[in-house]
Amino acid sequence: MKNYSVVGCKGLVSTQTAQLIEKEGFSLIEGISSWLALVDVSTCSPEQVAGRLHRQRAHNLVALLQPEQTELAVKAMQAGAQDYLLLPLDESQLIKLLFRLRQMEQEDSELVVASPLSRQLLMLAHRTAKADTTVLLTGESGTGKEPLAHFIHRHSSRREQPFVAVNCAAIPEQILESVLFGHVKGAFTGASADQPGKFELAEGGTLLLDEIAELPLSLQAKLLRVLQEREVERVGGHKVIPLNIRVIAATNKNLKEAVSQGRFREDLYYRLDVLTLELKPLRERAEDIIPLAEHFIQLYGYLTNGQECYLSEAAKAALINYNWPGNVRELENVIQRALVMRHGTILQVVDLGIRLPENIASVNSIPESSNGLKASKKHAEFQYVIEILKRFGGHRSRSADALGMTTRALRYKLVQMRDAGIDIDSLLAKAKAA
């Protein structure tokens, strides 16, 4: 059974809360290595935040800071913190955070997939997991590259060993080398003790190098050598440390283009490009949207105070018709916001806080292979327009603004709906009478 050890609670929580946390399966300890570490960065300058966080060898880092320290919160998240909590500590917020992070780790190992594209990707990922070689994940930001990396690790022969993730873009360049490869005591100012890097921490398991395209050229040569020789030397040291790890790299950039522009080493690219999996943007796999949304409703159920929440048909229509420039990550954020802003157990369009483009639900852009999805999306589109009209009492100008289109475009849309046999005036009259 996994040990959910938490560092940094001493002096921050009451004895009663500490007992409650431990009763729920967490262990409160002191030290460096842990499942989660609470790190007080409130006395740090912005430049010191990353270094302070990475002193802890924890799977999850949570920064502690004062309410007015907005810049420190941004720096902490950029440096890889999963979240932050405000001081003085609200014990209930800490408990919610612990439960949420643990729940995310205990989620079923299968990804949420419904579209043919996603099912095909999952099959490829499962086969890739069995081949113990380097993997390159590509796709737009927010498409789910890290969850897919977790999936590959969980289905590999290394699943009982560590999974370590590092975001190459989030860690300042001046300390990135130390974070990746470790350092010895005295290697630089502030190096008061030997420190293993992420490569060593992943020994026997899997290392995810996220945003690999952002790795400085100065470190790309060293990374190439580590991948080739399967050994690492800590910064300032001379001892060669053998490695037995699997490396998964991820990027939202075109690495071939980066190579041609001289921003990425060609030899490193070919070392990484052994098995490549491309994650399609969410707008190209619309069948995944509602299953993912319902998954997030369950995942963030703690925000509902025990109430079961559901999506209204109009809300589903809005989700399906939205373009999702931020992909799955944006959908996750929208659902969290909706659970907070809701006025009942049924999530409505207004709770989502999204605006559809003027060319709402361009049916011609949906693949033919989508098994009737065109018809369902057209129906969902009409439902969404009616919902907005009802909300604004049939007022065309306000409804058009809420839909993100001109009044003229809305008039054209209403003509289409009437041609499809929808009695708009009757529906609005019934809504007013109700």
Side-chain angles (χ1 to χ4, degrees):
M1 184 176 178
K2 183 165 183 175
N3 179 23
Y4 292 97
S5 55
V6 181
V7 165
C9 283
K10 187 176 181 181
L12 286 175
V13 300
S14 65
T15 302
Q16 183 180 5
T17 298
Q19 291 173 346
L20 173 61
I21 291 174
E22 292 190 322
K23 183 179 178 182
E24 293 296 335
F26 301 93
S27 57
L28 305 186
I29 65 171
E30 294 301 319
I32 297 177
S33 298
S34 62
W35 171 71
L36 181 142
L38 300 175
V39 185
D40 189 345
V41 299
S42 62
T43 59
C44 295
S45 67
E47 295 74 23
Q48 296 171 327
V49 170
R52 177 71 185 88
L53 285 170
H54 291 288
R55 288 181 198 170
Q56 293 290 337
R57 288 164 53 186
H59 181 64
N60 297 289
L61 294 168
V62 177
L64 302 176
L65 40 82
Q66 299 294 334
E68 67 275 7
Q69 294 176 316
T70 308
E71 185 179 2
L72 294 189
V74 173
K75 291 290 184 182
M77 299 300 283
Q78 289 176 339
Q82 268 68 35
D83 212 327
Y84 64 88
L85 294 171
L86 300 180
L87 296 171
L89 186 66
D90 183 333
E91 296 181 348
S92 66
Q93 292 301 314
L94 171 61
I95 292 172
K96 286 181 179 179
L97 179 62
L98 292 177
F99 272 84
R100 175 166 63 85
L101 292 176
R102 183 173 67 178
Q103 184 180 6
M104 289 174 69
E105 289 198 5
Q106 292 177 340
E107 283 293 295
D108 185 72
S109 61
E110 305 303 316
L111 299 177
V112 178
V113 296
S115 70
L117 283 174
S118 295
R119 288 198 296 268
Q120 182 183 37
L121 177 67
L122 198 64
M123 289 172 55
L124 290 172
H126 201 277
R127 290 165 59 187
T128 299
K130 306 304 178 186
D132 195 27
T133 188
T134 304
V135 181
L136 178 63
L137 305 179
T138 65
E140 292 181 7
S141 180
T143 48
K145 293 184 287 294
E146 184 167 348
L148 186 62
H150 274 281
F151 176 90
I152 292 171
H153 173 71
R154 287 193 297 259
H155 287 78
S156 75
S157 60
R158 298 178 180 272
R159 56 185 169 272
E160 300 300 327
Q161 302 303 318
F163 177 92
V164 177
V166 56
N167 189 316
C168 299
I171 302 172
E173 183 176 347
Q174 58 270 28
I175 67 168
L176 182 56
E177 183 179 15
S178 172
V179 169
L180 287 175
F181 308 115
H183 63 258
V184 299
K185 181 179 179 180
F188 49 82
T189 303
S192 56
D194 289 357
Q195 180 71 39
K198 298 292 186 180
F199 276 90
E200 288 181 68
L201 294 175
E203 177 61 22
T206 303
L207 175 65
L208 170 63
L209 297 175
D210 201 2
E211 305 287 2
I212 189 68
E214 306 304 322
L215 191 70
L217 278 168
S218 58
L219 292 183
Q220 289 181 24
K222 186 166 184 177
L223 173 60
L224 177 64
R225 183 184 179 281
V226 170
L227 294 177
Q228 288 174 333
E229 304 299 329
R230 294 288 163 175
E231 59 187 30
V232 67
E233 291 183 22
R234 294 180 181 177
V235 176
H238 302 288
K239 179 182 177 182
V240 174
I241 303 169
L243 295 173
N244 173 25
I245 63 171
R246 178 186 207 164
V247 172
I248 299 177
T251 181
N252 59 8
K253 300 291 196 302
N254 185 326
L255 286 188
K256 285 186 178 180
E257 187 177 295
V259 168
S260 66
Q261 295 173 349
R263 293 183 289 107
F264 201 82
R265 291 179 63 108
E266 186 175 24
D267 47 6
L268 177 57
Y269 169 69
Y270 286 115
R271 175 61 62 173
L272 296 172
D273 188 29
V274 179
L275 288 172
T276 300
L277 299 178
E278 181 187 1
L279 288 84
K280 297 294 185 182
L282 190 56
R283 61 183 171 274
E284 294 183 18
R285 43 191 176 99
E287 297 98 325
D288 289 339
I289 294 173
I290 300 306
L292 280 167
E294 292 173 343
H295 165 75
F296 291 134
I297 289 173
Q298 294 298 316
L299 182 62
Y300 295 103
Y302 66 89
L303 295 173
T304 67
N305 297 319
Q307 293 181 310
E308 284 196 52
C309 292
Y310 306 91
L311 290 162
S312 69
E313 290 303 312
K316 289 180 181 180
L319 292 176
I320 291 172
N321 283 290
Y322 186 60
N323 198 43
W324 299 111
N327 293 294
V328 180
R329 185 181 298 126
E330 184 182 7
L331 174 59
E332 182 177 6
N333 293 339
V334 164
I335 294 301
Q336 286 188 69
R337 179 170 60 243
L339 291 173
V340 172
M341 302 301 293
R342 66 191 170 84
H343 297 289
T345 58
I346 306 298
L347 302 183
Q348 304 292 346
V349 174
V350 69
D351 301 324
L352 302 175
I354 59 175
R355 291 181 55 138
L356 301 182
E358 186 165 327
N359 59 338
I360 174 175
S362 179
V363 174
N364 293 328
S365 68
I366 303 167
E368 289 290 349
S369 60
S370 57
N371 251 359
L373 184 60
K374 283 187 178 183
S376 64
K377 286 194 73 170
K378 174 60 72 175
H379 177 68
E381 171 194 340
F382 290 166
Q383 279 189 315
Y384 178 66
V385 172
I386 291 168
E387 176 77 16
I388 295 298
L389 284 167
K390 286 179 180 179
R391 192 197 318 165
F392 292 104
H395 194 285
R396 301 300 196 258
S397 178
R398 293 171 63 190
S399 297
D401 185 59
L403 288 164
M405 59 173 64
T406 63
T407 306
R408 183 176 181 179
L410 177 58
R411 283 200 299 268
Y412 176 71
K413 183 65 63 181
L414 296 179
V415 169
Q416 285 185 315
M417 294 168 67
R418 289 190 177 97
D419 289 344
I422 298 175
D423 189 344
I424 299 169
D425 296 329
S426 176
L427 289 171
L428 292 178
K430 288 179 181 178
K432 287 181 180 179

